[in-house]
Amino acid sequence: MARGERRRRAVPGEGARTMERAAAGGAALAVVVLSLALGLSGRWALAWYRAWRAVTLHSAPPALPPDSSSPAVAPDLFWGTYRPHVYFGMKTRSPKPLLTGLMWAQQGATPGTPKLRHTCEQGDGVGPYGWEFHDGLSFGRQHIQDGALWLTTEFVKRPGGQHGGEWSWRVTVASQASSTSALPLVSLFFYVVTDGQEVLIPEVGAQGQLKFISGHTSELGDFRFTLLPPTSPGNTAPKYGSYNLLWSSNPGLPLLTEMVKSRLNSWFQHRPPGASSDRYLGLPGSLKWEDRGPSGQGQLLIQQVTLKVPFSVEFVFESGSAQAEGNQALGQLAGSLLTQALESHTAAFRERFEKTFQLKKKGLSPGEQALGQVALSDLLGGIGYFYGQGLVLPDMGAEGSEQKVDPALFPPVPLFSGVPSRSFFPRGFLWDEGFHQLVVQRWEPRLTREALGHWLGLLNADGWIGREQVLGDEARARVPPEFLVQRAAHANPPTLLLPVAHMLEDDDPANLDFLRRAFPRLHAWFSWLHQSQAGPVPLSYRWRGRDTALPTLLNPKTLPSGLDDYPRASHPSTTERHLDLRCWVALGARVLFRLAQQLGEAEAAAELGPLAASLEAEEGLDELHWSPELGVFADFGNHTKAVQLKPRPPQGLVRVVGRPPPRLQYVDALGYVTLFPLLLRLLDPNSPRLGPLLDVLADSHHLWSPFGLRSLAASSPFYGQRNSEHDPPYWRGAVWLNINYLALGALYHYGHLEGPHQAQATKLHSELRANVVGNVWRQFQATGFLWEQYSDRDGRGMGCRPFHGWTSLVLLIMAEDY
């Protein structure tokens, strides 16, 4: 995982998009011909053509039907918690969405302006937090601990009408304070934001209380928001609240939090009848249209409600078309009706969860079952909908080319995707998403088809997909500048093919229909990977995009591999052969060949079949990657182990290369890369290479730990070593759930096939599964979070949290579903 750290327009119709592509293609050809006719450099023309292709969408038909995100085609998916970077909010799946969200602040807890909570931040002191239940479609319940405050946010959607239905929220705030005199005063801020010409009309009652907000958009028709009076939790007893309002132009979503903070500059009195008064900082307090911006800038409307905990507040969205078609007769989804709906959805979730994953039947404890529910719910609750333009640096051909080009804007595109972490990585990552969808598709295959279809919609004319997707102003504001630009020469592991392979195993006709539409794009993506990352000899492969050998780096990183700082050849060169990449390409050829056969794509099958057979032939794998000296599979390149970081004032730590000097050889870096022929099940159960890999896996001096398989052998000189003065170890010993899941799947696979290693594989699977599940469960009990990685020394969670991305694979590990 590469972890470091405008103008918008609507998505054109498919016919218009095809016209645009055809016109752009004709223009590109015309420019090349004209440049040659004028005697301009053919090299310049080729460079221009490559740059144009890098930011041109692929011409294959889309994998998803036209308008697949619209309320007409997918009404139950139109609204959702598609803003994973905020603690609680909802939006529509639209290029110009209607957004809603929640902020809160504890008044008087600290001197000055109270801490305003809104976006999930790694170091803001909030936590644990996460979804207890979330079904990915229509209901969720989340708990958030903020110091002594305990917030519960719940939502339920109700179908009806032609505009995506209706929904209701309930926000409950309690305190862990022991005395009633210490009960805090809390402000909740409910807001609605539009992104263009939409109309919002608030109507205010007594004391600044917002009766409702009516509005109209082309996608939602007529609608109304209602903030109901607060009550005591669990009953209808009213509670006294103080109200403040702000109605303004949209300042831009990245600036929303700071804008509200800046407006909390006036003191007000909270005076419940028969009780003492308290001061609090509030918004301006009147319904005055402030700072009217340019036409089309959008509107922001915030209702602040302030009161003593404990309390509950409900916020209801009603659709005009749904009300007209019968929902009005059902009554407002609030109060007891909302409670009944939440209870019904909770019971249905629990029943469906056990039917799907059978954790209780497998003997998992109630706590482990709850962990599984949280793993699924946090992953589903982290799905986001993004829209915008990424920055792409074109592939200009040979590496090291002196020809310099500037990054260019990719066309505006939507993305419906899970995210690795709401606090640290709230955006789409290509190789993470394949692992995410392994979990999602067991629960809701339709969501997986939507996500894969959107990712394949990012394909450029060459068949490339950028490995990090930074789409929209909110996403861009949270990404360091050096990670904004995606390089069109760099690949990423093709993990989207993992859920595709699973689709081939079931008989769901909807999956086959999707794969039939998606095949041209899947084939184009795989073909680009196979061709662009080709190595120095036939059927070898090399990750493009390794860092250059800077004097401050112990071992130049290979970010495109996803394994970042995992040790590779000490001196990067074009002679390298990367074992993991060859295995990924072999998996891709196998899956695409099977899919082509199933779809009757004879021409593609004739191309892919021989490639798959060649890549899976063990003699070829041996020839390129088996090291007799090391007794395992390995990378090959210009390498020496005699490198280390040493202090050299005033530069700090610098790399020193000793003797022996680098030479072409197999790279001694025992770890996850070593295991890839096993992980992706490329070896025959009778292979003489299977035993040595199982032995290395099981050896506590190498990869085995009480908490899972470590990423780099404890015996490696790179184990636990930082890569630079400011770059601590990442894939150099820590336990990662995605690779442990692949290892468990492989052990389960070989444990069910006759062969000399069947018993050993079965035993290792049982022991490794117990270690991984036991440690993730203990860390969850201790911290309330799933973590990015786990220490191989004491099991503690490390990296960012919550990390509900591929760590959610613990659910499939518990279910033994590989």
Side-chain angles (χ1 to χ4, degrees), residues 651-716:
Q651 299 101 313
L653 291 178
V654 297
R655 180 167 102 152
V656 176
V657 181
R659 293 187 176 276
R663 64 180 176 88
L664 292 179
Q665 61 178 313
Y666 289 103
V667 179
D668 185 3
L670 193 65
Y672 284 167
V673 166
T674 310
L675 298 179
F676 259 83
L678 167 70
L679 298 177
L680 300 186
R681 311 176 198 180
L682 300 176
L683 299 178
D684 185 272
N686 296 300
S687 170
R689 306 309 187 199
L690 186 55
L693 291 188
L694 293 177
D695 292 341
V696 163
L697 179 153
D699 191 337
S700 61
H701 292 97
H702 295 315
L703 302 185
W704 190 270
S705 87
F707 316 107
L709 299 180
R710 52 175 68 96
S711 45
L712 190 64
S715 57
S716 170

Side-chain angles (χ1 to χ4, degrees), residues 499-619:
V500 168
H502 188 264
M503 287 181 179
L504 291 173
E505 301 294 337
D506 66 38
D507 55 359
D508 185 346
N511 280 341
L512 190 60
D513 288 344
F514 168 78
L515 291 174
R516 192 178 304 280
R517 292 194 303 270
F519 180 77
R521 289 177 173 266
L522 287 168
H523 189 198
W525 181 42
F526 171 77
S527 296
W528 175 86
L529 177 71
H530 164 57
Q531 294 165 13
S532 69
Q533 309 297 299
V537 298
L539 297 181
S540 71
Y541 297 89
R542 177 175 61 86
W543 294 111
R544 304 307 195 264
R546 283 199 69 188
D547 288 350
T548 54
L550 299 175
T552 55
L553 300 179
L554 178 63
N555 188 271
K557 288 184 181 180
T558 313
L559 296 180
S561 73
L563 304 178
D564 293 19
D565 67 345
Y566 186 97
R568 306 282 181 167
S570 61
H571 290 65
S573 71
T574 58
T575 62
E576 286 182 70
R577 307 196 296 259
H578 293 137
L579 171 62
D580 53 332
L581 178 53
R582 189 188 194 277
C583 293
W584 282 121
V585 176
L587 171 77
R590 181 173 65 192
V591 172
L592 267 294
F593 174 56
R594 288 181 54 207
L595 179 56
Q597 285 184 307
Q598 192 161 335
L599 297 176
E601 295 282 351
E603 184 177 344
E607 167 205 331
L608 292 162
L611 176 62
S614 297
L615 288 169
E616 294 198 52
E618 288 192 28
E619 57 269 24

Side-chain angles (χ1 to χ4, degrees), residues 152 236 266 318 326 350 378 397 421 473 491 598 602 751 768:
T152 300
T236 58
S266 300
E318 293 170 304
R350 287 191 167 118
D378 272 342
S421 170
D473 294 338
Q598 192 161 335
L768 181 59

Side-chain angles (χ1 to χ4, degrees), residues 135-157:
D135 66 0
L137 291 173
S138 57
F139 135 88
R141 176 188 297 154
Q142 177 184 219
H143 300 293
I144 306 169
Q145 185 173 342
D146 181 10
L149 294 182
W150 185 256
L151 288 81
T152 300
T153 65
E154 302 169 282
F155 77 93
V156 170
K157 288 159 60 178

Side-chain angles (χ1 to χ4, degrees), residues 572-816:
S573 71
T574 58
T575 62
E576 286 182 70
R577 307 196 296 259
H578 293 137
L579 171 62
D580 53 332
L581 178 53
R582 189 188 194 277
C583 293
W584 282 121
V585 176
L587 171 77
R590 181 173 65 192
V591 172
L592 267 294
F593 174 56
R594 288 181 54 207
L595 179 56
Q597 285 184 307
Q598 192 161 335
L599 297 176
E601 295 282 351
E603 184 177 344
E607 167 205 331
L608 292 162
L611 176 62
S614 297
L615 288 169
E616 294 198 52
E618 288 192 28
E619 57 269 24
L621 183 62
D622 272 10
E623 182 181 349
L624 294 174
H625 289 289
W626 181 261
S627 169
E629 300 87 359
L630 304 176
V632 291
F633 293 107
D635 283 351
F636 183 87
N638 190 27
H639 181 65
T640 177
K641 289 196 295 183
V643 293
Q644 54 183 312
L645 291 177
K646 289 188 174 182
R648 182 176 292 172
Q651 299 101 313
L653 291 178
V654 297
R655 180 167 102 152
V656 176
V657 181
R659 293 187 176 276
R663 64 180 176 88
L664 292 179
Q665 61 178 313
Y666 289 103
V667 179
D668 185 3
L670 193 65
Y672 284 167
V673 166
T674 310
L675 298 179
F676 259 83
L678 167 70
L679 298 177
L680 300 186
R681 311 176 198 180
L682 300 176
L683 299 178
D684 185 272
N686 296 300
S687 170
R689 306 309 187 199
L690 186 55
L693 291 188
L694 293 177
D695 292 341
V696 163
L697 179 153
D699 191 337
S700 61
H701 292 97
H702 295 315
L703 302 185
W704 190 270
S705 87
F707 316 107
L709 299 180
R710 52 175 68 96
S711 45
L712 190 64
S715 57
S716 170
F718 289 97
Y719 170 74
Q721 295 297 308
R722 56 192 314 113
N723 203 48
S724 73
E725 187 168 0
H726 307 291
D727 196 359
Y730 203 42
W731 292 84
R732 295 185 179 176
V735 174
W736 293 81
L737 260 288
N738 61 330
I739 304 299
N740 274 267
Y741 173 79
L742 291 178
L744 282 160
L747 293 171
Y748 188 88
H749 170 76
Y750 289 110
H752 284 76
L753 294 176
E754 287 189 14
H757 309 291
Q758 183 176 16
Q760 184 185 13
T762 299
K763 179 176 181 291
L764 289 172
H765 171 268
S766 177
E767 294 173 355
L768 181 59
R769 176 175 175 266
N771 287 352
V772 171
V773 172
N775 188 62
V776 173
W777 166 231
R778 287 189 298 273
Q779 295 303 311
F780 181 75
Q781 279 184 301
T783 66
F785 286 120
L786 296 178
W787 291 80
E788 182 181 13
Q789 52 179 203
Y790 295 87
S791 169
D792 65 304
R793 298 175 180 177
D794 57 18
R796 64 185 171 83
M798 302 192 305
C800 68
R801 85 298 176 270
F803 195 88
H804 51 265
W806 61 40
T807 302
S808 65
L809 288 165
V810 69
L811 169 58
L812 298 189
I813 294 172
M814 289 192 284
E816 296 181 284

Side-chain angles (χ1 to χ4, degrees), residues 450-514:
E450 285 283 320
L452 295 185
H454 275 85
W455 274 100
L456 292 172
L458 306 177
L459 210 67
N460 80 353
D462 293 319
W464 168 83
I465 300 174
R467 59 190 174 87
E468 294 187 37
Q469 295 297 322
V470 188
L471 304 178
D473 294 338
E474 282 188 289
R476 189 170 296 169
R478 295 175 66 98
V479 177
E482 63 267 29
F483 292 103
L484 285 175
V485 178
Q486 299 301 297
R487 288 158 173 80
H490 297 183
N492 220 201
T495 59
L496 298 185
L497 296 176
L498 297 174
V500 168
H502 188 264
M503 287 181 179
L504 291 173
E505 301 294 337
D506 66 38
D507 55 359
D508 185 346
N511 280 341
L512 190 60
D513 288 344
F514 168 78

Side-chain angles (χ1 to χ4, degrees), residues 405-426:
V405 293
D406 293 324
L409 280 173
F410 202 70
V413 286
L415 179 62
F416 183 68
S417 174
V419 303
S421 170
R422 291 169 61 189
S423 64
F424 209 70
F425 302 114

